[in-house]
Structures are given as C-alpha cells and as structure tokens.
C-alpha cells in the first residue's frame, strides 16, 4: 500500500443509513476522478463490519525490484538452467544437428513466447503468486496455483541435490592432478594393480559412480547415507535459504553474480576450446543438418518439450517474479527478450559442449589409432599380414589418423573375408561424436574427462563446476519463489519463517537422494514428478485465461495495463493454436508413458556397465503417486467449489468480482442495503487486489471531496471475474 494513502474507517452508528443512491447524489457530477475508477463495497452484517474495522491497519507495501536489470537477470537466471547445458546439446545432436534449431524456433514462437508472455502478464496485473492469480481468474480453477506449488516443491527436492553434486566436484577440483584423472591402484602385500571396476570403464566414470555417489546396484538397496553428499546437500540448502530469506531484496542482489557468471565461463570455455585440436570437428559435426530427421514427429515432440521446460512455464516462478513489477512495465518486451536470451544461451552452450567433445573425440581417436597400430605391428611380426601391404611412406612411430585409415582400407581390399577377424577398430572421430550423452553423464563424466586433458585442468574444472552451481542456484531461486510467494500472499505468514521452514523440510526429505541409491530416486523424480503435471498445469492456465476469463477481456486488460494492444498474433495463439499444441503434447506424453513402462538405469559395479532395470512394485506405486499428488489439487478444488462444499469467500468476509479495475465486494447478506463507496486512483496508481483490510469511505455532505484510497480488501482466495455493464467503465 502506498505510504501516503490514508485509511478511512466508517463510523458504525445508527445515523449511517445512506444507500448507494444517497451517496451518489452527494458526488459532484463533474468529478472526473469518479468516472475513472470506483469501488463499491456492499455492506455485510454489523458483526462482520466490526471485524473488518478492528483489523484495518495499513498493510505494508509489496516489495519491488530495485531495477529493470535485476528483474531481467532474475527471469534469465530462472529460465536458463542446467538443461541448457546438458539437455539442449544432446537433443540437438540426436535430432538432426543444426536442422533441430528449425522446429525449436518455430515452437518457441508458437507456444513458448505466447505462454511466457501470458504468465508474465497475469503475474504483473494481479500482483500475486500462482495461488492468488488463478483464484483470481477463476475460483474453480484455483487448484492450478496449488498444483504449481507442489510441482515446485518436488523439483526443488532433487534439483538441489544436483547442486550438491556440483559443490562436491567443485571442492575436489583444487588438486593437481585431478582425482578423476587416473584409475586408482589397489595394493596388496606383494603387488599393485588397477581397480578392476575402473579398468573396465574409465577413470571419470569410476569416480562418478564409486567415489562420488558410492552407488548401489539397484533402487531396492539403500546402502545407507553418503555422508559427504549429505554435507554437500546441506550446504546447498543453506545457500538457497540465505539468498531467499528476504525475498527479492536478498535474492535480487545474488542474481547479478549467479546469472552473469555462467556467461563469462561459457565464453571462456568456447575461446579455450577453439584453440584445441579437434574442436572444429565437433562443431561442424554438431551443426551439419540432417534434414530428413525433421519430418519425424518425435523430433517436434522433443523440441516442444524442451521449449516448455526451458522457459520454466507452469512452475509459478515466472508469475512470482513478475508480480513484483510495476503495473505499467512492458512485459511483452520482457517475454521476447528473455525467450531469445534463453535460446541463444542454449546455442552458446551447445557450441561449447561440442567444441570440448570434439577435442575429447580427437584424443580418444588418437588413442584408438595407437592401440590398433600396435596390433598391426604384431600381425606383421607374426606373418599374419605382409609387409608389402604397408605403404612405403608410413612411419609406425608417428602414424596419424589418415595413415591408419589408408592402411585399413588396403587390408579390407586384400583380405576382405579375413579383415573382421583382425579385430581392428575403425577409429572414426564421427563414431566418437555420435555417442549421445546427456544429463549427469555429460557434466560429470564426458565433459569432466575432456577437462583432464586441458592445460591447467584444475582451473577449468573449478570454473566449470562453479558455473553449474550458479546455473542451478538461479533456477532454484525461481523455484523457491514459486513456493514462497503464493503461500505468503495467501496465508500471510512471515516470509523469513516460511523460507527457513521450507528449506529445512526439503533438506529432511531430500536425504532419500543422498543414500547410495539416491541417484535412482533423482531419476524417478525427474521423470515423473514434473513432466506430466506441468503440462496439465499449463494447459489449464491457457484455457483459464483464453476461454474461462476470455481472450477479448484479457486483451482489454493488457491494453489498459501496457498502454498498447498486443499483436493480434497472440489472440489466435492463446485461443486456438497453443491449447491445441499443448493438448497434442500432453497426449503424446501420456502415450509415451503408457508404451514405455517405468524403468531406470542402474550401475552394476561388478560388470562396470549400466543396465536398464524395472522398478519394483513399490517404485511403480511411487511413480504414480508423484504424478497423482502433483495434479490432485486441481480436481479437489474444482469439486469443492463446484458443489459449494467450501465458501468462495472462506478467506475473506465476501466474494470478489472484478471488471477492468472495479472490485465489487458482494454482500453475503442480501437483505442489508447499506453501501459505501471508495474513490479509486488514477490508472497508474491503482493498487492491485491485495490481501489487506476492507476500507470504507466516510460520507460527506460537501459537493467536492478528496478521495482516499487503500488496498482493495483482504480477499485472499475466492476471486471471481464478472462483467458489470451497469457500472461506469474505468482504467486498470
């Protein structure tokens, strides 16, 4: 509430009997401010009226961003996360290289930017978290906000575990050589030998599964807590708690570093990688388009899913951050800007990843050539191969890839039937680059292995994992804000206490992720706690605005709020195209889940390989429970409201109707005719509906009065959109 506004209480005595008509007759017909905006508050019973008066203290003003830059960095930090580094490059490689960018850009324009703009607009207009926003749009769909909070909580549980893993690797990077550079030796009384599990896999793979996670062989084997990871998880939650404890006042300052530092690291990595041998091979392989793959429906489905999650739609973090904006902020510009920053960040990360993987592939290819050259020398010495088959210019002490391929081509031509029995690998760099790796396998195994070959590898390792920590924290801030802001707005609890309590609860539950089997639970939550529920949430968000509230009315609100009418393109996207695309994506996701029973990849230490296993019965029940629990608030709230099992004004003394800046507090007791009027502010000054106290205007006999304003009442939940043609139109 603005500090210079006054709170006016209505005297509760027998002399106050004016009706609406009496009050209106006292107004000056030339009072322009009355024509702009007005509030009508129907009287409630006298005991409720007294209750309102007793708690009508001035409410604190809603926090706001210190600058537009801080807000943009917060949105960028939330949308640009770990997926941009380890998911987008994998999808790009898997789905046609550079050709994948075409469907991605099309879907970014069709569903990404319109839905991102929608969430920014409703958050900025209503100035509430997700619970308040969707209660405001339609009480029966109020469960959307609660579902968003549940999904945010599920995601926060395991996402912070990944930050904990990054912290562990960061702490281990201050060593020369890096601890995952070589396989460890096992010593007994007489001899020393290489750890068998490491020898069968690789040094980085062994370090990840055995040293870092100390992983069990299945989800059914708990194996107890991994105490080093417990400490890292605790550190991650302490960092999040300290950054979020004051809301955007504290997290906004952290954003300057957490959002910008990853770009510094990515640019440094790109410059360094381009100076390494083989990096150009990786980039050219990445962006060589395979146009035929574009025609496959799977490519478009995966592109739509990536667009959907890359922007953080449905989490509530976008709405929460936007709710702290000024009402006249150009959120359309913000939506386009953040969306394309996200896209170009993904492309930059892809360049970095494949430049580094190209360097790694080149090294692995050289090792392959050296190993197979030794085999060829052995075959020559044993007489299996004739020296006449070797070109005279070749020097086995310094053979390169081209020479090796020339030799193998000769062998294939001369000994076509016997060549396969020689056991010579093709040693093709493209085969190495085609090994699709994503997620933790990319960050903690493939990329980590590549960095061991960098000059000054500890420095680059420190930079890389510090970047992962900052990328994760930026997304965590938005995720936690998507939980805290709606709950504070709705239940009026202290933000500090709620933040600490939420972090403590999440850390306690998160201990299941730092068992020796914890990695399997991370995969379970990642697959089932967010994907389907978030799709359902965003479908309902789109339908709520476009069809329940109405696209035409929403456009009018945007015009009043922004000062201009958005492009007509958004009208058709919101009303027709986006809902259809989202429903198709939802159906495809459900079909995919139905066709592919839930499985997980387990690390079998004895064989040093990953093996796909089915979840046990309790694991399947847990997968179903995660999906059901996340979307449960939507039908529960709808049923309760539809059958009037709870009052829509259960968190206030009256229901609320809204139309273009008019708030009408409807009387729960129709026989009482007393009404009081509050004059509203001018368009840029009108506060959004805020949980506060009902304010009444004291009647005056003068023909011209100074109108006082205050927050629109302690409405909480139970908002209802209504068209009131008999009331004067007013600006937002």
């Amino acid at each position: 509430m603005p500090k210079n506004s006054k709170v006016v209480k209505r005297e509760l005595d027998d002399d106050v009997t004016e009706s609406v008509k009496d009050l209106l007759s006292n107004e000056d017909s030339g009072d322009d401010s009355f024509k702009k905006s007005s509030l009508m508050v129907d009287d409630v019973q006298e005991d409720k009226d007294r209750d309102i008066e007793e708690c009508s203290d001035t409410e604190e003003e809603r926090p706001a961003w210190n600058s537009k830059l801080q807000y943009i960095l917060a949105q960028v930090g939330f949308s640009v996360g770990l997926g941009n580094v380890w998911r987008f490059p994998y999808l790009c490689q898997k789905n046609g290289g550079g050709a994948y960018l075409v469907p991605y850009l099309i879907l970014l324009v069709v569903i990404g930017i319109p839905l991102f703009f929608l969430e920014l607009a409703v958050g900025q207009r209503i100035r509430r978290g997700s619970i308040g926003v969707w209660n405001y749009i339609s009480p029966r769909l109020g469960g959307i906000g609660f579902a968003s909070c549940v999904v945010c909580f599920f995601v926060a549980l395991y996402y912070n575990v990944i930050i904990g893993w990054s912290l562990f690797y960061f702490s281990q990077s201050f060593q020369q050589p890096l601890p995952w550079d070589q396989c460890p030796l096992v010593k007994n009384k007489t001899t020393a030998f290489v750890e068998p599990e490491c020898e069968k896999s690789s040094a980085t793979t062994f370090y990840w599964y055995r040293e870092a996670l100390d992983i069990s062989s299945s989800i059914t084997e708990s194996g107890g807590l991994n105490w080093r990871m417990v400490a890292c998880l605790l550190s991650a939650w302490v960092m999040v708690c300290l950054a979020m404890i004051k809301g955007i006042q504290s997290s906004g300052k952290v954003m300057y570093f957490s959002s910008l530092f990853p770009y510094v690291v990515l640019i440094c990595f790109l410059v360094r990688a381009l100076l390494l041998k083989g990096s150009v091979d990786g980039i050219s392989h990445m962006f060589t388009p395979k146009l035929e793959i574009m025609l496959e429906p799977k490519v478009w489905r995966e592109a739509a899913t990536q667009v959907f999650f890359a922007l953080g739609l449905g989490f509530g973090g976008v709405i929460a951050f936007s709710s702290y904006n000024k009402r006249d902020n150009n959120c359309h510009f913000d939506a386009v800007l953040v969306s394309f920053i996200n896209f170009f960040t993904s492309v930059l990360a892809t360049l970095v990843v494949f430049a580094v993987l190209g360097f790694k592939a080149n090294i692995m290819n050289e090792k392959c050539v050296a190993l197979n050259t030794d085999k060829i020398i052995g075959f020559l010495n044993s007489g299996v191969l004739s020296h006449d088959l070797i070109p005279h210019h070749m020097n086995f002490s310094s053979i390169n890839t081209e020479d090796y391929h020339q030799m193998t081509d000769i062998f294939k031509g001369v000994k076509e039937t016997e060549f396969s029995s020689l056991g010579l690998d093709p040693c093709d760099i493209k085969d190495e680059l085609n090994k699709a790796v994503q997620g933790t396998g990319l960050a903690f195994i493939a990329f980590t292995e590549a960095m061991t070959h960098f000059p000054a590898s500890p420095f680059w390792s420190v930079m890389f994992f510090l970047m992962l920590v900052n990328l994760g924290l930026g997304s965590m801030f938005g995720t936690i804000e998507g939980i805290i802001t709606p709950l504070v707005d709705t239940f009026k609890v202290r933000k500090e206490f709620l933040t600490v309590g939420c972090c403590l609860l999440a850390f306690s539950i998160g201990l299941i992720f730092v068992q020796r089997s914890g990695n399997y639970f991370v995969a379970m939550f990642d697959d089932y706690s967010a994907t389907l529920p978030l799709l359902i949430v965003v479908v309902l968000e789109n339908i709520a605005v476009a069809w329940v509230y109405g696209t035409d009315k929403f456009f009018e609100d945007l015009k009043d709020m922004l000062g201009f009418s958005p492009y007509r393109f958004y009208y058709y996207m919101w009303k027709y195209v986006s809902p259809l695309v989202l429903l198709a994506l939802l159906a495809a996701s459900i079909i995919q889940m139905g066709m592919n029973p839930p499985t997980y990849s387990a690390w079998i230490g004895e064989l040093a390989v990953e093996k796909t296993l089915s979840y046990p019965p309790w694991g399947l029940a847990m997968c179903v429970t995660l999906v059901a629990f996340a979307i449960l608030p939507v039908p529960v709230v709808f049923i309760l409201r539809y059958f009037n099992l709870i009052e829509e004004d259960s968190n206030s003394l009256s229901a609320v109707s809204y139309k273009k800046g008019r708030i009408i507090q409807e009387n729960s007791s129709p026989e009482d005719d007393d009404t009081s009027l509050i004059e509203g502010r001018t368009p840029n000054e009108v506060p959004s509906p805020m949980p506060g106290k009902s304010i009444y205007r004291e009647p005056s006999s003068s023909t011209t009065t100074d109108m006082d304003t205050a927050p629109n009442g302690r409405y909480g939940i139970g908002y209802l959109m209504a068209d009131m043609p008999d009331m004067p139109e007013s600006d937002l």
Side-chain angles (χ1 to χ4, degrees):
M1 171 178 175
K3 296 179 181 178
N4 59 354
S5 63
K6 301 176 182 178
V7 178
V8 182
K9 298 182 181 179
R10 194 182 73 171
E11 296 294 331
L12 294 178
D13 54 38
D14 296 333
D15 295 335
V16 182
T17 58
E18 287 87 355
S19 64
V20 177
K21 183 177 179 180
D22 297 330
L23 288 170
L24 292 176
S25 65
N26 289 331
E27 297 294 335
D28 187 353
S29 59
D31 190 352
D32 292 335
S33 62
F34 170 76
K35 295 179 182 178
K36 291 182 179 177
S37 177
S38 62
L39 289 173
M40 281 189 56
V41 184
D42 288 350
D43 288 341
V44 294
Q45 296 175 359
E46 188 173 294
D47 57 341
K48 293 183 179 180
D49 214 10
R50 289 194 183 97
D51 291 339
I52 294 175
E53 282 199 292
E54 289 171 0
C55 59
S56 62
D57 297 327
T58 303
E59 186 182 8
E60 291 184 4
E61 186 177 2
R62 187 172 183 80
W65 297 102
N66 291 336
S67 66
K68 181 67 174 282
L69 176 61
Q70 191 181 82
Y71 164 68
I72 293 296
L73 289 177
Q75 290 286 17
V76 169
F78 176 52
S79 66
V80 175
L82 297 172
N84 296 76
V85 175
W86 66 32
R87 177 70 177 168
F88 186 89
Y90 162 76
L91 291 174
C92 214
Q93 174 195 19
K94 177 184 174 185
N95 296 315
Y100 174 74
L101 300 179
V102 176
Y104 186 88
L105 270 174
I106 292 173
L107 291 166
L108 179 66
V109 173
V110 170
I111 63 171
I113 294 177
L115 293 174
F116 193 60
F117 179 28
L118 184 147
E119 289 201 356
L120 290 178
V122 295
Q124 180 174 308
R125 173 62 192 93
I126 302 172
R127 307 197 75 191
R128 281 289 167 272
S130 55
I131 295 176
V133 161
W134 301 112
N135 272 319
Y136 191 94
I137 296 293
S138 172
R140 290 180 181 177
L141 294 178
I144 297 175
F146 289 98
S148 292
C149 288
V150 173
V151 173
C152 278
F153 187 72
F154 283 163
V155 171
L157 287 177
Y158 74 85
Y159 204 86
N160 224 22
V161 175
I162 300 174
I163 298 177
W165 293 341
S166 302
L167 285 173
F168 173 77
Y169 268 78
F170 172 74
S171 67
Q172 299 298 308
S173 297
F174 297 91
Q175 304 178 45
Q176 177 67 26
L178 292 168
W180 49 84
D181 185 38
Q182 300 289 337
C183 283
L185 294 176
V186 179
K187 297 180 180 180
N188 56 24
K189 293 182 179 179
T190 57
T191 60
F193 56 92
V194 176
E195 171 66 47
E197 184 179 351
C198 183
E199 190 175 21
K200 294 175 184 176
S201 55
S202 68
T204 50
T205 304
F206 173 80
Y207 191 87
W208 166 242
Y209 284 118
R210 190 56 53 213
E211 297 293 335
L213 300 181
D214 193 18
I215 199 166
S216 61
S217 58
S218 74
I219 197 172
T220 56
E221 300 175 22
S222 167
L225 292 174
N226 182 340
W227 289 104
R228 290 189 296 181
M229 287 303 169
V230 171
C232 292
L233 179 63
L234 178 61
S235 301
W237 275 114
V238 169
M239 292 167 64
V240 171
C241 185
L242 292 177
M244 297 297 301
I245 196 164
K246 291 293 184 181
I248 62 171
Q249 280 85 359
S250 53
S251 65
K253 295 179 177 62
V254 180
M255 291 294 180
Y256 286 109
F257 179 77
S258 65
S259 296
L260 293 176
F261 180 74
Y263 290 96
V264 176
V265 176
L266 285 174
I267 292 172
C268 291
F269 260 98
L270 181 61
V271 172
R272 184 67 189 92
L274 289 175
L275 299 175
L276 298 173
K277 183 180 178 181
S279 60
V280 177
D281 295 331
I283 293 175
S284 61
H285 175 80
M286 175 67 254
F287 288 102
T288 301
K290 305 176 185 68
L291 299 177
E292 66 280 0
I293 299 182
M294 283 180 57
L295 301 177
E296 298 179 10
K298 181 183 178 183
V299 174
W300 290 82
R301 179 179 62 80
E302 292 190 342
T305 305
Q306 179 62 18
V307 167
F308 181 82
F309 288 105
L311 295 175
L313 300 174
F315 281 97
V318 173
I319 294 175
F321 281 151
S322 182
S323 70
Y324 298 112
N325 265 334
K326 294 179 180 178
R327 190 181 303 275
D328 58 353
N329 174 64
N330 188 348
C331 55
H332 173 254
F333 172 79
D334 300 342
V336 176
L337 177 65
V338 173
S339 298
F340 279 100
I341 288 176
N342 187 293
F343 171 70
F344 288 117
T345 304
S346 298
V347 174
L348 174 62
T350 302
L351 285 171
V352 171
V353 167
F354 276 89
V356 173
L357 291 183
F359 165 67
K360 172 178 173 283
N362 191 273
I363 290 177
M364 300 304 292
N365 200 51
E366 289 177 353
K367 289 182 177 180
C368 176
V369 169
L371 180 63
N372 284 272
T373 300
D374 291 339
K375 289 183 181 180
I376 292 173
I377 294 173
F379 293 145
L380 291 173
N381 293 333
S382 63
V384 175
L385 293 174
S386 172
H387 287 274
D388 296 335
L389 298 176
I390 308 299
H392 297 293
H393 70 278
M394 287 191 184
N395 182 2
F396 282 105
S397 62
S398 60
I399 192 168
N400 56 35
T401 305
E402 290 76 15
D403 292 340
Y404 174 77
H405 288 154
Q406 185 179 354
M407 276 195 303
T408 54
D409 289 340
I410 294 173
F411 297 158
K412 286 178 184 177
V414 176
K415 294 182 173 287
E416 186 175 352
T417 57
E418 302 174 13
F419 180 78
S420 58
S421 62
L422 298 177
L424 297 176
D425 297 323
C427 295
D428 190 351
I429 194 170
K430 291 183 179 179
D431 293 339
E432 191 68 32
L433 288 168
N434 280 329
K435 294 179 181 178
V437 183
Q438 65 165 324
T440 55
L442 174 63
F444 298 107
I445 298 177
F447 210 90
T448 304
E449 182 177 354
M451 286 188 297
T452 60
H453 301 290
F454 277 30
S457 55
F459 168 77
W460 294 105
S461 183
V462 167
M463 294 285 283
F464 177 71
F465 289 110
L466 187 58
M467 179 191 73
L468 291 188
V469 169
N470 280 276
L471 284 172
L473 286 177
S475 297
M476 275 297 295
F477 294 156
T479 304
I480 297 298
E481 198 69 55
I483 303 171
I484 301 299
T485 297
L487 295 180
V488 169
D489 289 343
T490 304
F491 301 108
K492 296 293 166 285
V493 295
R494 284 282 299 273
K495 178 168 285 190
E496 295 87 349
F497 295 155
L498 181 61
T499 303
V500 173
C502 179
C503 292
L504 283 174
L505 177 62
F507 169 72
S508 301
I509 299 175
L511 292 177
I512 66 170
F513 302 110
V514 288
Q515 306 173 93
R516 291 183 59 200
S517 60
N519 188 45
Y520 307 135
F521 287 97
V522 170
M524 176 193 290
F525 271 67
D526 190 35
D527 291 337
Y528 297 100
S529 70
T531 307
L532 199 61
L534 277 180
L535 278 172
I536 295 172
V537 164
V538 178
V539 168
L540 293 175
E541 287 181 359
N542 197 168
I543 293 173
V545 172
W547 292 94
V548 177
Y549 179 50
T551 313
D552 293 312
K553 287 196 287 185
F554 189 54
F555 253 65
E556 292 177 12
D557 289 349
L558 288 175
K559 184 177 181 180
D560 288 333
M561 182 173 71
L562 302 177
F564 63 89
S565 182
Y567 298 114
R568 201 66 182 170
F569 163 81
Y570 291 105
Y571 180 93
Y572 299 106
M573 291 298 106
W574 286 332
K575 193 161 188 176
Y576 303 112
V577 179
S578 294
L580 291 176
V581 173
L582 287 172
L583 288 172
L585 183 59
L586 178 61
S589 299
I590 293 173
I591 292 171
Q592 184 192 26
M593 284 188 175
M595 294 176 62
N596 301 309
T599 58
Y600 67 99
S601 294
W603 177 255
I604 309 301
E606 294 78 11
L607 304 175
V609 294
E610 284 187 338
K611 185 178 180 181
T612 301
L613 301 178
S614 298
Y615 284 107
W618 62 265
L620 293 173
M622 194 170 178
C623 293
V624 174
T625 302
L626 287 174
V627 176
F629 195 77
I631 63 175
L632 189 62
V634 176
V636 167
V637 172
F638 182 86
I639 292 171
L640 293 177
R641 291 273 169 80
Y642 184 82
F643 293 102
N644 294 321
L645 299 179
I646 60 172
E647 295 292 335
E648 292 186 358
D649 58 348
S650 58
N651 198 33
S652 65
L653 297 180
S654 58
V656 176
S657 299
Y658 171 71
K659 171 63 181 171
K660 291 191 69 179
R662 286 191 310 281
I663 301 298
I664 301 163
Q665 194 171 17
E666 296 174 344
N667 185 10
S668 58
S669 179
E671 63 272 7
D672 190 351
D673 292 332
D674 280 354
T675 310
S676 61
L677 174 69
I678 303 178
E679 187 65 58
R681 289 171 177 259
T682 58
N684 289 335
E685 295 175 325
V686 177
S688 66
M690 301 173 64
K693 318 302 179 230
S694 295
I695 308 302
Y696 298 89
R697 175 176 173 269
E698 188 173 2
S700 172
S701 58
S702 62
T703 57
T704 60
T705 57
D706 293 327
M707 308 309 296
D708 294 314
T709 60
N712 292 327
R714 194 167 188 271
Y715 298 125
I717 61 173
Y719 292 102
L720 173 66
M721 296 291 189
D723 200 347
M724 302 295 294
D726 56 326
M727 292 294 296
E729 293 290 309
S730 61
D731 293 331
L732 287 172

